[in-house]
Amino acid sequence: VFPGGFLLFAAINTITGGDSDKVTLPAPWQLIALVLATVLVVAGLTSVPAHLGGRRPVTATL
């Protein structure tokens, strides 16, 4: 998924005849940081409901 967005942006820029000198592409470290931040945010947001749901008895949940 990660290289797909970058390639899509580059392809659209090429097809539309955009001036590549004016286009500012993100640095590779920024893209890697974005992927890592996304993973951490998703893990954090899913851990809270999982922790709260795990505190209830299984019989009450079923």
Side-chain angles (χ1 to χ4, degrees), residues 2 7 10 12 14 17-18 24 27 38 40-41 44-45 47 52 57 61-62:
F2 164 69
L7 292 175
I12 291 172
T14 303
T24 304
T38 302
L40 290 174
V41 167
L45 291 175
S47 67
L52 294 175
T61 304
L62 294 176

Side-chain angles (χ1 to χ4, degrees), residues 4-59:
F6 184 79
L7 292 175
L8 178 63
F9 178 77
I12 291 172
N13 187 37
T14 303
I15 291 170
T16 59
D19 187 5
S20 62
D21 292 335
K22 294 181 180 178
V23 175
T24 304
L25 297 176
W29 69 267
Q30 290 174 329
L31 297 174
I32 292 169
L34 178 65
V35 171
L36 293 176
T38 302
V39 169
L40 290 174
V41 167
V42 169
L45 291 175
T46 56
S47 67
V48 173
H51 179 70
L52 294 175
R55 295 175 59 179
R56 284 189 277 165
V58 176
T59 53

